[in-house]
């Protein structure tokens, strides 16, 4: 036994050494961990931030595992050999720091994952975050170097490779104040005061252009959504509360969207998609909880507006713009499109996308989505908003280093990708320590948090890495392929990537290590031992 332990230790030392050489060649920078009472974050400042170049597979026999864990792995890489008889250990962070008696290969729990690249499902459109007024404000206050690290962390290939972005048309709750274009003059269908962009949008556009420059993101796809029209277009003449769009402004509200698209395009950022409006039920049924900008729509009224006004107006100029429907919670999916179709059968034909917000997904089962998906299999289906801290029983303030929150994202990315989603857009890419700014104090957590006291650091949360385990390794154009597990010891989803290689995400939510064997009909067997509370992406040809 002693001899075996010794040779395992040597093997481990060798692995670490080989890993180190490979890493230094690629000029990768590891995470600088910092412990808070709530967990571990990676700290970035003006001169330092962690990045990982996409691992290259040296040959047909090699596999690479990229790992994150509660104990502190953050995109650590391990390589192994396909068809090896032994399990390759993924060494957890605490064991790297203080090696203990080896537990490698001793895991009693075991799972086999059968990957079949011939059984194919949806294509991946991409992953992203949101560029709200709050994000824009925070970035403006940080030094250019720190801004650039935030952009690169999310949107560069060495970061987590986002390619999608959501932004508000006018204001949202994540702004310093509610706002819309052409608030004045009132009651005016020509929108005479909406001929140029608001300075807040000009700032945002300048920042997004900088983001494109420093990240070299290919094919950035921006999606817009309006939270509210100018107040005078609404029945209640208020930013929030129970409201509808006044019938006499149906065409004006469609023209408003067209004008916004034209102005962003003229400013050099063509828009990829819009939705029919953020969370329409907030102005119909949820006014008690929602105190921020909203515009209420019932599905049948929205069907009329889409069919008579928005659809024809947009399609006359932007034939390929993706128009997303709903942009609201999962539980509305069962009835929303049915009622739209009942009112105006052609209304849903204008929609080329289905947008869903994540917030209640752990209560409402995916069957709500599956029904709509079955009827509309060709539309792009995305989560378009998600964040933690919105519920009364949760801490609204960012919990620095919360692995539990990171895992929540991991679980739900897995579920939605297994249910044919084409991608996921998260909410604010960065917020302050309070989870704002937000003009109605609707504070929440974010995947990165800036130190707005000293403006010298930002912290990358576990959520950043658990999202990255998917977004970084299943780029646009990847196809989900079958991955069947023999038991629930781990959860999994697999992709065939545009370069022909395979990425298998494996998530262990349990409190002990698991021996995982991935069986691929073409390549053979990959055996790894993964630690407790960890998530991994296995890459191979
Ligand atoms: C930035 O972070 C790096 C890595 O942790 C550290 O060595 C350096 O001192 C930090 N710079 C400042 C100005 O704090
Ligand atoms: C951010 O910058 C604005 C404008 O310069 C300033 O008014 C504000 O106080 C700054 N906020 C923080 C948190 O530094
Ligand atoms: C146009 O909008 C700007 C910005 O909101 C406002 O200051 C100005 O008074 C408006 N012009 C008219 C004619 O209402
Ligand atoms: C705009 O229309 C509303 C409703 O018809 C009316 O109450 C209001 O006085 C009008 N505002 C102006 C500036 O004409
Ligand atoms: C922000 O930086 C200051 C100064 O270094 C520090 O005292 C404070 O704890 C930091 N905030 C967080 C959330 O780490
Ligand atoms: C692994 O073994 C299987 C079965 O013997 C074989 O078909 C496959 O080619 C092997 N894979 C590699 C990468 O050598």
């Amino acid at each position: 036994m002693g001899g075996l332990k010794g040779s395992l230790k040597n093997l481990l030392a060798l692995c670490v050494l080989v890993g180190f050489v490979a890493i230094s060649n690629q000029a990768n920078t590891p995470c600088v961990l910092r412990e808070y009472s709530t967990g571990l974050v990676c700290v970035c400042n003006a001169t330092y931030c962690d990045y990982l170049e996409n691992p290259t597979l040296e040959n047909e026999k090699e596999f690479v595992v990229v790992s994150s864990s509660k104990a502190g792995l953050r995109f650590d890489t391990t390589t192994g050999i396909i068809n090896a008889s032994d399990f390759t250990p993924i060494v957890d962070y605490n064991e790297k720091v203080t090696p203990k008696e080896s537990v490698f290969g001793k895991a009693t729990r075991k799972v086999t994952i059968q990957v079949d690249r011939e059984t194919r499902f949806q294509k991946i459109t991409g992953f992203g975050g949101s560029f709200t007024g709050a994000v824009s404000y925070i970035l403006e206050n940080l030094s250019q170097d720190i801004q650039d690290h935030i952009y690169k962390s999310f949107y560069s290939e060495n970061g987590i490779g986002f390619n999608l972005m959501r932004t508000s048309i006018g204001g949202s709750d994540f702004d310093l104040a509610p706002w819309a274009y052409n608030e004045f003059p009132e009651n005016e269908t020509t929108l005479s005061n909406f001929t140029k962009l608001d300075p807040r949008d000009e700032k945002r556009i300048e920042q997004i252009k900088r983001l494109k420059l420093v990240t070299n993101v290919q094919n950035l796809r921006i999606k817009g959504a309006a939270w509210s029209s100018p107040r005078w277009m609404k029945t209640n003449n208020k930013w929030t509360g129970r409201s509808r769009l006044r019938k006499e402004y149906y065409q004006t509200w469609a023209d408003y969207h067209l004008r916004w698209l034209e102005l962003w395009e003229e400013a050099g950022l063509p828009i990829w998609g819009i939705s029919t409006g953020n969370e329409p039920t907030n102005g119909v049924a949820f006014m008690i909880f929602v105190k921020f900008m909203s515009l209420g729509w019932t599905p049948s009224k929205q069907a009329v507006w889409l069919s008579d006004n928005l659809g024809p107006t947009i399609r006359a100029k932007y034939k390929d713009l993706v128009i997303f429907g709903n942009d609201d919670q999962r539980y509305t999916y069962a009835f929303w499109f049915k009622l739209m179709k009942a009112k105006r059968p052609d209304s849903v034909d204008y929609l080329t996308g289905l947008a869903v917000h994540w917030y209640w997904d752990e209560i409402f089962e995916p069957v709500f989505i599956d029904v709509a998906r079955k009827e509309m299999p060709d539309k792009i289906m995305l989560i378009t908003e998600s964040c933690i801290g919105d519920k009364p029983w949760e801490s609204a303030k960012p919990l620095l280093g919360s692995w539990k929150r990171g895992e929540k994202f991991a679980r739900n990315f897995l579920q939605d990708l297994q249910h044919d989603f084409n991608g996921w857009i998260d909410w604010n890419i960065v917020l302050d320590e309070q989870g704002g700014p937000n003009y109605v104090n609707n504070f929440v957590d974010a995947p990165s948090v800036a130190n707005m006291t000293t403006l010298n650091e930002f912290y990358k949360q576990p959520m950043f890495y658990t999202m990255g385990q998917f977004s970084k390794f299943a780029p646009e154009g990847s196809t989900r392929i079958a991955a069947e597990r023999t038991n629930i010891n781990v959860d999994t989803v697999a992709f065939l990537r545009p370069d022909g290689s395979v990425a298998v995400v494996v998530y262990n939510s349990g409190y002990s290590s698991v021996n995982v064997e991935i069986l691929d009909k073409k390549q053979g067997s990959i055996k790894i031992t993964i630690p407790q509370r960890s998530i991994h992406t296995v890459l191979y040809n």
Side-chain angles (χ1 to χ4, degrees):
M1 275 309 281
L4 181 61
K5 251 184 251 165
S7 57
L8 269 171
K9 267 197 190 128
N10 288 341
L11 189 68
L12 172 59
L14 189 69
C15 288
V16 170
L17 196 65
V18 169
F20 179 75
V21 171
I23 280 166
S24 65
N25 279 346
Q26 295 178 343
N28 285 325
T29 47
C31 157
V32 172
L33 278 178
R34 183 183 295 166
E35 191 167 3
Y36 289 88
S37 61
T38 36
L40 296 163
V41 300
C42 299
V43 182
C44 294
N45 61 24
T47 55
Y48 192 92
C49 199
D50 54 301
Y51 295 102
L52 174 69
E53 266 186 37
N54 277 314
T56 46
L57 296 161
E58 296 301 332
N59 55 56
E60 287 298 305
K61 290 195 177 300
E62 185 184 86
F63 68 84
V64 177
V65 188
V66 181
S67 307
S68 301
S69 72
K70 179 172 195 285
L73 297 178
R74 297 291 184 266
F75 290 170
D76 291 54
T77 58
T78 309
T79 55
I81 305 295
I82 296 174
N83 286 346
S85 54
D86 292 330
F87 284 85
T88 298
I90 309 299
V91 183
D92 210 350
Y93 183 79
N94 41 16
E95 300 210 24
K96 283 185 180 169
V97 180
T98 359
K100 290 190 298 232
E101 292 291 293
S102 174
V103 292
F104 307 141
K106 284 188 185 165
T108 48
R109 294 165 57 187
K110 187 174 188 297
V111 64
T112 303
I113 299 169
Q114 187 82 50
V115 172
D116 176 10
R117 63 180 93 190
E118 299 314 320
T119 306
R120 298 182 184 181
F121 304 97
Q122 80 274 21
K123 263 206 155 50
I124 295 302
T125 305
F127 299 89
S130 300
F131 215 102
T132 60
V135 168
S136 180
Y137 169 83
I138 288 176
L139 290 164
E140 192 187 347
N141 284 33
L142 299 170
S143 71
Q144 190 64 59
D145 288 334
I146 293 191
Q147 286 179 43
D148 289 351
H149 280 310
I150 293 175
Y151 298 146
K152 287 191 283 185
S153 291
F154 285 95
Y155 284 88
S156 78
E157 262 191 43
N158 297 352
I160 56 173
F162 277 2
N163 65 322
L164 305 182
M165 179 184 284
R166 185 168 182 246
T167 194
S168 55
I169 301 176
S172 75
D173 51 325
F174 279 90
D175 253 294
L176 303 187
W179 67 279
Y181 283 99
N182 215 111
E183 286 177 44
F184 300 97
E186 292 179 329
N187 301 351
E188 191 238 39
T189 53
T190 56
L191 300 173
S192 67
N193 202 10
F194 187 8
T195 51
K196 59 184 183 57
L197 291 171
D198 185 273
R200 282 166 282 201
D201 266 354
E202 283 168 359
K203 168 58 68 183
R204 212 181 300 199
I205 286 170
E206 187 190 305
Q207 291 167 328
I208 297 171
K209 283 183 173 170
R210 174 75 190 182
L211 176 152
K212 285 179 76 169
L213 179 76
V214 298
T215 63
N216 200 23
V217 54
Q218 305 297 306
N219 209 7
L220 178 69
R221 298 175 186 275
I222 304 172
K223 173 194 175 284
W227 265 242
S228 170
S229 64
R231 284 168 288 185
W232 53 266
M233 288 192 202
K234 298 161 70 171
T235 50
N236 67 348
N237 197 29
K238 290 196 176 86
W239 287 120
T240 190
R242 186 184 183 81
S243 70
R244 301 285 186 276
L245 194 72
R246 287 172 172 272
K247 189 84 183 73
E248 61 268 38
Y249 299 126
Y250 270 29
Q251 185 55 40
T252 313
W253 187 226
D255 294 339
Y256 181 104
H257 282 79
L258 180 64
R259 189 89 42 101
W260 183 82
L261 291 168
E262 288 169 343
L263 289 171
W264 272 62
E265 186 178 26
E266 279 166 27
L269 284 182
I271 297 295
W272 168 66
I274 57 169
S275 81
T276 45
N278 180 68
E279 298 184 351
T281 58
N282 287 353
V284 177
F286 297 106
M287 294 77 67
I288 321 150
F289 309 108
V290 176
K291 301 297 176 200
F292 53 83
M293 298 173 69
S294 67
L295 173 61
W297 284 110
T298 61
S300 53
K301 286 209 160 64
Q302 197 171 64
V304 171
W305 176 62
L306 180 58
S307 161
D308 289 353
N309 310 104
L310 185 72
T313 302
I314 298 297
R315 289 288 173 247
K317 175 141 187 198
Y318 294 105
K319 298 219 159 16
D320 298 325
L321 187 94
V322 183
I323 303 180
F324 286 92
N326 189 269
D327 217 1
D328 210 326
Q329 317 300 335
R330 179 186 274 184
Y331 50 73
T332 65
Y333 258 59
F335 62 84
W336 193 266
F337 299 104
K338 277 196 176 68
L339 293 178
M340 281 182 75
K341 266 198 269 193
K343 181 74 181 176
R344 285 294 177 87
D346 77 331
S347 61
V348 293
D349 299 339
Y350 283 109
L351 302 177
T352 38
L354 306 175
V356 198
H357 292 192
W358 163 79
Y359 300 100
W360 296 93
D361 285 15
E362 298 212 304
I363 294 172
F364 294 91
E365 293 291 308
V367 63
F368 287 89
I369 294 298
D370 297 340
V371 171
R373 186 46 153 178
K374 218 169 165 185
E375 285 176 23
M376 297 174 283
D378 298 327
K379 302 197 197 295
I380 297 171
M381 187 163 74
L382 299 180
I383 291 285
T384 49
E385 211 186 288
S386 60
C387 67
I388 303 177
D390 62 304
K391 313 281 188 314
W393 59 87
E394 293 170 340
S395 159
K397 210 176 140 105
L399 294 182
L400 288 173
S402 168
W403 183 252
K404 226 173 144 182
R405 290 186 167 187
E407 286 187 310
K408 219 182 229 289
F409 272 24
R411 262 199 317 274
N412 287 278
F413 268 62
L414 283 159
Q415 183 189 75
D416 279 347
L417 289 164
Q418 289 158 358
H419 284 267
D420 284 347
F421 273 77
N422 302 99
W424 186 303
I425 308 179
D426 188 42
W427 196 209
N428 305 279
I429 56 172
V430 62
L431 288 175
D432 66 20
E433 301 94 324
Q434 267 59 57
N438 180 291
Y439 86 89
V440 288
N441 298 346
N442 181 28
F443 300 137
V444 294
D445 212 332
S448 85
V449 175
N451 189 325
M452 293 301 279
T453 315
T454 50
L455 306 174
N456 63 340
E457 289 179 343
F458 70 98
Y459 314 109
K460 293 202 239 175
Q461 296 269 51
M463 286 183 278
F464 173 89
Y465 297 91
T466 55
M467 288 198 288
Q469 293 284 157
F470 301 84
S471 63
K472 186 173 172 62
F473 305 109
E476 179 181 358
S478 298
T479 305
R480 182 167 73 89
I481 55 177
E484 296 289 337
R485 54 187 174 158
T486 48
N487 60 54
I488 58 163
N489 281 336
V490 300
D491 200 357
T492 187
V493 67
F495 304 93
L496 182 60
R497 310 199 302 168
D499 69 359
S501 63
V502 171
V504 186
V505 181
V506 184
Y507 165 54
N508 179 11
S509 60
Y511 290 82
S512 55
S513 56
V514 183
N515 283 337
V516 178
E517 181 173 19
I518 296 170
L519 289 173
D520 180 296
K521 277 187 188 142
K522 183 168 164 227
Q523 281 295 52
S525 145
I526 290 171
K527 289 177 170 171
I528 52 175
T529 304
I530 60 172
Q532 62 160 315
R533 311 288 295 274
S534 64
I535 180 165
H536 312 265
T537 310
V538 183
L539 303 165
Y540 62 92
N541 276 311

